[in-house]
Amino acid sequence: MAHPLSRYRLRLLNDFIRIAFVPFLIFLFILSVLHVRPGFLLLPFYLPFVFSCALVRNFYSDYHRRQDAYARGAKLPPQVVGRWPGNLDVLIQRRRAAQSDYLAEFYHELFQKYESTTLNLKLLWIDMRALVAQYITMDQEHIKYITATGFDRFWKGRLIKEMVEPFLGAGIFNRDDEEWKAHRSLARPFFSRDRATDFELFERYTNTTLTIISSLSASGKAVEVQDLFSRFTLDAAAAALFGTELDSLRCALPVPGQSAGTRMKIVTTDKFGSFAQAFEACQDVYMGRITKGYFWPITQITHDDMTPHVKIIEQCIHPMAARAVERKAERKRVGMTSAEKQDVFLDHLAEHTEDPKHIQDQLLNILLAGRDTTSCLLTFITYFMALYPDVVRRMRADIMEHVGSGVPTSENIKALRYVRAVINETLRLFPPVPHNIRETRHEPVVFPKTDGTFGSPQDNDSIYMPANTPIMFIRFLTQRNQALWGSDAEQFDPDRWLDDRLARFLQNPMMYTPFNSGPRVCIGQNYALNQATYFLVRLLQRFDSFTLAPECQPEGSLPPQGWKHGRGRQAIEQIVPTAAVSTYVKGGLWVRFHSSEKDI
C-alpha cells in the first residue's frame, strides 16, 4: 500500500478545493442572493473574488496570530516589506540571488536591514506551508530550540518529506516521531564504534584516488577535486553499505572548462554506473521540487519525474537485499543466530528486517549523507590549502610528528590536533548542509530570547511562530556571526580552535553545529571525520603544495568582479560557493598538486 506521503496529487486536489472551489461556492451563493444568473461574463469578477477571499483569510490569520502572540507574552517576527504587492519583488530577488550572489548573502542583508535574526519573508501574503519556508532565522538560540531544547515542538513536516518520498521513502532522514526513532536505533549501532575494517576500506579507496591525482599531476594536469572526492566517498560508502564495488573512480573524469560542477557525471553504462546516475538524478529532481515550492505537484500531475530513476535504483538494491536475507536464512538453518562480523551495513539491516524496501530506504538515506558530507569537507579543505601554504606546512608537521610516513590508525589520527583544527574551521565556514528546514507542529511556538546579535536579549521580546509553519535555519550565517565568533569570524584561522578563542565555543557549543544538534545529530559524524582525516594524512604524505587552476574553470564559475567590493569572505573568495542538497563549488574546483619530495 502506498504511503500517504506519496499521494501528493490528492493533497494538490484538496488544496485546489480549499483555495478555489470553496470560494466558487460562496461566489455562487452571493449571485443567487442577488438574483444574478451565473455566466462566462462573470468570470472576470470571480478571479478577483477568489483573490479577495485569500486576502481576507490571511488578514484574519494575521490578526489571530498577533492576538495569540500578545497573550503569550511574545511578538511576531519582523515582516520583510517589499516594493511590490505580496513581496513579489523579494521573491524575484531571492531567486536571482541564488544564481549570482554569495551564498546566503541575500538573507544576511535582510537580517542586517531589519536588525533581527529571525524574519518573516511574507511572500505572496502567505505564512503557512507555502514556498517551502517563509520564516528564516540565523539566531543561535532559536536554532538551539528548533533542534534540541524544543525538539518535540517541531518536525520535518509533510512538505519536505512529500517531495523526496519516492527516493528516500521511510529512511531516517524522511521520517519523524516513532518511525524516525526506530530507524535511528537500528542504524546507530553500526556507526557507534571505530572498526578496523573502516580503515582498511579508507586505505583502499584513498590509494585509488591518490593514484589518479599522481598520474594527472605527473603530466602537469589539474584535477577537478570536487568530482573526484564525490567519486571517492561514493565508492567507499557503497563498499561499506552494500559490500559491493561501484567503481565510479574508474570512469571518465571531467574535462577542463566543461565540468558541470554540481554533480559528478558517470558515463559508464553498467549496472552500478546506472545506479550512480539514478542516485544523482533523484537529487536533481528533489532540488527542482524545492525550487518550485508548495505547488510543485502541478508539474507532476501526469507523471513522477523520480519514478524512472527510483526503478533503476530498486533493480540494483533489491537483489542485494534479497541475497543478504538469504544469507541470514542460511545461518539460521545451520544454527547460527547472527553474522559473526557485520562489517557491511546491508548485512546489519538484514539481521533486523527482511523487507527489501525498508532496507533500500535505509541504505539510500545513509549513502546520501555519507557521500555528500565528506566530499564537501575535503573539497573546501583542499581549497583552503591552496590559499594558505603555511597551513599546509603545519598540517604536514603535525602528521610527521604523530603518524610519520606510515599507515594512519584510529589512535594516531586522534593526536592530530592541528589537522583537526583545520577540519573544524572548514566545517565552520562551509558546513556541508548550510541550511535546513523544520516545521512547527499543530501548536504555536514561542522562541527563547535571541542570541543578542542585535542588542541585549533582555531588550527583545520573545518571537512567536504560528502552528504548521516551516522555518529555515541558516547555520552558514550563524557560524560566521561576529557577535558569536568575534570580529575575525569571516577569516579562515584554524588557531581559533587551539588558543584562547576556543573558550567562546566551549561556553556556547551550539553556535557550531555542522553535524546538526540535539536528537537528530548526525550518527555518522565520527565515521566522516575519520575518513576525512585519514585521506588528508595520506594526501599530505604525498603532496606538499596546492595551487588553484582558474584557467580550467568553466565559463561563469569564477567570482564576478563586483564581489571584490563585498563584505567578509566575499571580497577575497576565489570560488563561487553555492548550495543544493549540500554546499558545493560552482563549476567544480580545479587544483594542481605538487610534491618537492617523495614522501614525508
Side-chain angles (χ1 to χ4, degrees):
M1 182 180 294
H3 192 279
L5 286 172
S6 64
R7 300 169 185 161
Y8 55 80
R9 295 182 182 90
L10 291 178
R11 192 267 294 171
L12 183 63
L13 177 61
N14 178 69
D15 291 339
F16 173 78
I17 293 173
R18 175 175 55 86
I19 295 171
F21 188 67
V22 172
F24 175 71
L25 295 179
I26 298 173
F27 186 65
L28 292 180
F29 174 75
I30 293 174
L31 292 181
S32 66
V33 171
L34 298 176
H35 303 291
V36 176
R37 177 177 297 180
F40 287 105
L41 293 178
L42 293 176
L43 184 60
F45 297 97
Y46 167 66
L47 296 178
F49 178 79
V50 172
F51 182 71
S52 300
C53 286
L55 288 181
V56 170
R57 183 170 58 248
N58 283 310
F59 177 81
Y60 171 77
S61 296
D62 285 346
Y63 173 78
H64 174 73
R65 286 193 283 267
R66 282 194 298 269
Q67 293 298 107
D68 192 34
Y70 178 79
R72 296 169 184 263
K75 68 175 183 179
L76 295 173
Q79 289 186 5
V80 173
V81 179
R83 297 188 304 272
W84 297 358
N87 280 354
L88 185 60
D89 57 319
V90 178
L91 176 61
I92 294 173
Q93 290 168 17
R94 185 172 72 167
R95 290 182 177 271
R96 288 177 177 172
Q99 302 297 321
S100 60
D101 283 7
Y102 192 78
L103 181 59
E105 187 63 20
F106 171 78
Y107 297 115
H108 182 268
E109 291 176 356
L110 289 178
F111 290 131
Q112 293 292 324
K113 177 180 179 180
Y114 291 91
E115 296 187 344
S116 176
T117 48
T118 300
L119 295 172
N120 181 1
L121 297 179
K122 202 65 176 180
L123 301 174
L124 304 181
W125 302 279
I126 303 172
D127 284 346
M128 301 167 62
R129 291 181 176 173
L131 300 172
V132 182
Q134 297 277 38
Y135 283 67
I136 57 173
T137 186
M138 60 172 282
D139 194 286
Q140 177 255 316
E141 290 297 328
H142 295 174
I143 296 175
K144 176 182 177 181
Y145 190 75
I146 293 169
T147 60
T149 56
F151 177 79
D152 291 335
R153 309 295 301 276
F154 296 83
W155 62 335
K156 292 185 74 72
R158 182 185 181 91
L159 181 58
I160 295 298
K161 292 187 291 186
E162 180 186 74
M163 289 179 175
V164 77
E165 177 69 18
F167 177 35
L168 298 183
I172 190 172
F173 297 119
N174 205 43
R175 286 296 181 264
D176 289 296
D177 302 326
E178 294 306 315
E179 279 190 279
W180 164 73
K181 290 178 182 178
H183 297 319
R184 186 176 178 87
S185 64
L186 175 61
R188 187 168 188 170
F190 185 80
F191 297 97
S192 63
R193 64 192 188 278
D194 292 338
R195 295 182 301 275
T197 51
D198 290 344
F199 287 80
E200 294 170 4
L201 183 147
F202 295 161
E203 175 66 18
R204 184 162 77 251
Y205 292 100
T206 295
N207 184 63
T208 300
T209 306
L210 294 182
T211 298
I212 294 172
I213 294 175
S214 296
S215 176
L216 292 171
S217 299
S219 57
K221 295 180 180 178
V223 182
E224 207 284 75
V225 297
Q226 181 167 257
D227 175 89
L228 188 65
F229 293 158
S230 291
R231 296 166 188 257
F232 160 65
T233 53
L234 178 63
D235 284 0
L241 298 179
F242 306 154
T244 191
E245 301 285 342
L246 287 185
D247 278 339
S248 69
L249 281 167
R250 302 187 186 281
C251 299
L253 297 174
V255 176
Q258 298 180 15
S259 170
T262 58
R263 301 283 182 206
M264 61 180 184
K265 302 300 179 184
I266 305 298
V267 297
T268 182
T269 58
D270 62 22
K271 179 175 65 173
F272 293 121
S274 297
F275 167 85
Q277 292 174 3
F279 184 78
E280 300 295 327
C282 283
Q283 295 179 68
D284 291 336
V285 173
Y286 171 52
M287 290 312 303
R289 292 178 176 183
I290 286 182
T291 302
K292 295 179 179 71
Y294 187 76
F295 294 104
W296 69 268
I298 291 177
T299 65
Q300 307 283 287
I301 291 177
T302 60
H303 66 285
D304 187 316
D305 287 345
M306 268 189 191
T307 299
H309 308 301
V310 172
K311 287 182 178 179
I312 293 173
I313 291 172
E314 290 175 348
Q315 290 170 1
C316 180
I317 293 183
H318 278 203
M320 291 190 292
R323 288 193 294 272
V325 172
E326 289 173 4
R327 290 194 294 270
K328 172 185 174 182
E330 180 62 27
R331 287 193 297 271
K332 285 185 177 181
R333 283 194 291 270
V334 299
M336 296 176 61
T337 57
S338 63
E340 294 181 3
K341 289 182 63 179
Q342 294 176 0
D343 293 327
V344 175
F345 190 52
L346 175 61
D347 290 329
H348 173 79
L349 292 175
E351 286 297 319
H352 298 84
T353 179
E354 298 182 1
D355 182 353
K357 182 63 169 67
H358 183 84
I359 293 174
Q360 172 182 310
D361 292 343
Q362 286 282 35
L363 288 171
L364 291 178
N365 277 252
I366 300 299
L367 177 62
L368 178 66
R371 196 285 299 270
D372 285 355
T373 299
T374 311
S375 63
C376 168
L377 173 58
L378 291 174
T379 297
F380 283 100
I381 288 179
T382 304
Y383 168 62
F384 283 131
M385 290 195 299
L387 293 184
Y388 305 107
D390 286 342
V391 169
V392 176
R393 284 192 285 272
R394 291 181 63 183
M395 291 175 72
R396 282 170 55 84
D398 196 20
I399 293 168
M400 167 69 86
E401 178 181 356
H402 297 289
V403 184
S405 58
V407 177
T409 66
S410 60
E411 289 74 25
N412 59 29
I413 66 171
K414 292 176 182 176
L416 299 172
R417 294 183 67 238
Y418 189 75
V419 172
R420 182 58 183 269
V422 170
I423 290 174
N424 288 346
E425 186 70 345
T426 304
L427 288 170
R428 184 183 71 84
L429 289 173
F430 291 106
V433 182
H435 46 69
N436 215 323
I437 295 174
R438 292 291 183 268
E439 184 178 306
T440 53
R441 293 180 183 263
H442 302 307
E443 292 292 331
V445 166
V446 175
F447 281 125
K449 296 290 186 179
T450 70
D451 62 16
T453 297
F454 298 103
S456 170
Q458 287 69 35
D459 298 334
N460 296 310
D461 294 329
S462 297
I463 295 293
Y464 171 94
M465 265 203 73
N468 304 313
T469 302
I471 181 169
M472 180 169 68
F473 54 96
I474 311 172
R475 64 170 56 90
F476 183 88
L477 296 178
T478 307
Q479 295 183 178
R480 296 177 173 217
N481 187 350
Q482 293 186 12
L484 301 176
W485 293 90
S487 59
D488 62 349
E490 295 272 353
Q491 298 177 18
F492 176 77
D493 186 359
D495 282 318
R496 78 173 71 246
W497 298 95
L498 303 171
D499 59 26
D500 292 343
R501 289 171 294 176
L502 180 62
R504 287 179 177 266
F505 166 70
L506 295 177
Q507 294 168 6
N508 185 16
M510 293 297 290
M511 68 187 197
Y512 173 76
T513 58
F515 291 102
N516 210 348
S517 59
R520 278 191 179 266
V521 67
C522 176
I523 60 176
Q525 62 175 305
N526 289 333
Y527 182 92
L529 292 172
N530 283 341
Q531 184 183 31
T533 306
Y534 191 100
F535 183 89
L536 289 171
V537 169
R538 297 307 252 170
L539 175 70
L540 291 170
Q541 286 174 336
R542 192 175 300 195
F543 299 99
D544 53 27
S545 64
F546 311 84
T547 54
L548 299 179
E551 72 280 4
C552 296
Q553 293 287 146
E555 184 178 356
S557 67
L558 293 174
Q561 290 296 317
W563 279 20
K564 293 182 179 180
H565 307 291
R567 67 165 195 93
R569 289 205 59 82
Q570 180 179 4
I572 62 172
E573 215 73 271
Q574 302 298 305
I575 57 170
V576 178
T578 188
V581 176
S582 58
T583 312
Y584 67 92
V585 180
K586 182 179 180 181
L589 181 66
W590 289 88
V591 177
R592 286 190 169 85
F593 294 73
H594 312 279
S595 177
S596 58
E597 50 187 307
K598 186 174 181 180
D599 55 37
I600 291 180

